[in-house]
Amino acid sequence: MNTSNNWKSLYKIGAVAALILLLYSLVTMVILITIGGQPETAQEGFTMLQNNRLAGLLRLDVLMILIMPLYYPLFLGLYTALKKVQITNSALAVVLVFAGLTLALATPSAFSWLALSDKFAAATSEAQKTLLLAAGEAILASDMWHGSGAITGGILLQTGALLMSVVMVQSQSFGKATAYVGIVTHGLDLLHILVGFFVPQAGFIMMAIAGPLYLVWFPLLARDFFRLSQSSSNEL
């Protein structure tokens, strides 16, 4: 009974995590449309933080640091539900997701930008400003959008999520729509990273399609998790 109750609690946590990630996706899209995305240069990054610190941090995706860890309980819940279907592929998928997520979470640079921006604003000589701009360009080249760690983390995460969605097709616990939307969403997101190396424009188009699909996948996932949490102990 305790095991069944623990599983039900994990499924509820997974459902709530999916809904919060849905909200995060919506907020991110609003931020991109209204105030813009990542800065193109260090000078632009320092300027936007000096003009409006909150807007600058939002453009630097500071919310990712707070929200993306929810992928851990989300995929732990998926593994718990799907290990009965294919334990090997489910275990591999969750390991890939956890490894990729850990790498990705090590790369956000919002607070580094903040420290450099404050130093840049207080700099009294052109030599100091030049050094700080160079440091900013180095952070820009190694952040979550450009750094090799973040890119590797994205590939691992999307590969694991794609594999988990494929396993989901064979499960009675999740709707077919959830599984197939997951395959398309994470498949396109993975391709956007891989193809983007060689054909950036094609990668951008794939991401433009995959992004809105998260707004479909997360609520479907939350629905299935809530349904699982309400199942009887025998069904679990």
Side-chain angles (χ1 to χ4, degrees):
M1 179 64 69
N2 288 335
T3 300
S4 297
N5 288 335
N6 289 338
W7 286 355
K8 288 182 178 181
S9 297
L10 183 58
Y11 294 147
K12 287 179 181 178
I13 292 171
V16 172
L19 292 177
I20 294 174
L21 285 163
L22 170 65
L23 180 60
Y24 166 69
S25 299
L26 287 168
V27 170
T28 299
M29 289 183 180
V30 171
I31 289 171
L32 288 172
I33 293 170
T34 56
I35 62 176
Q38 294 276 316
E40 295 293 329
T41 65
Q43 180 69 66
E44 181 187 351
F46 293 158
T47 301
M48 73 181 190
L49 285 168
Q50 290 163 21
N51 290 340
N52 189 322
R53 182 164 292 211
L54 176 58
L57 287 172
L58 290 174
R59 285 183 61 182
L60 290 167
D61 209 5
V62 70
L63 293 177
M64 175 191 173
I65 302 170
L66 303 174
I67 304 299
M68 288 303 288
L70 290 173
Y71 266 87
Y72 289 117
L74 180 76
F75 276 88
L76 183 59
L78 286 174
Y79 167 73
T80 302
L82 294 173
K83 64 182 180 180
K84 299 173 293 183
V85 179
Q86 282 191 24
I87 188 168
T88 301
N89 285 334
S90 297
L92 176 60
V94 79
V95 168
L96 288 172
V97 168
F98 282 13
L101 182 58
T102 302
L103 276 173
L105 286 172
T107 60
S109 54
F111 297 117
S112 298
W113 274 104
L114 200 57
L116 285 178
S117 176
D118 289 342
K119 290 180 179 180
F120 185 81
T124 56
S125 70
E126 288 302 317
Q128 287 178 310
K129 291 183 178 181
T130 299
L131 286 173
L132 290 167
L133 284 172
E137 291 295 342
I139 290 177
L140 188 63
S142 60
D143 67 7
M144 61 175 289
W145 302 106
H146 307 97
S148 57
I151 292 171
T152 302
I155 291 172
L156 292 175
L157 193 157
Q158 296 303 333
T159 300
L162 176 60
L163 179 57
M164 195 73 87
S165 298
V166 171
V167 176
M168 202 183 294
V169 174
Q170 305 173 43
S171 172
Q172 300 286 330
S173 301
F174 294 90
K176 296 300 181 186
T178 311
Y180 288 119
V181 171
I183 290 172
V184 175
T185 302
H186 297 294
L188 284 172
D189 214 345
L190 177 60
L191 281 175
H192 121 262
I193 299 173
L194 299 175
V195 173
F197 287 123
F198 309 102
V199 189
Q201 197 62 31
F204 176 79
I205 293 171
M206 290 176 184
M207 186 65 253
I209 299 171
L213 286 175
Y214 281 99
L215 304 182
V216 180
W217 190 62
F218 284 133
L220 288 173
L221 205 54
R223 178 204 63 184
D224 291 344
F225 269 134
F226 276 128
R227 186 170 58 198
L228 275 169
S229 71
Q230 295 169 0
S231 298
S232 67
S233 297
N234 288 335
E235 289 174 324
L236 288 171

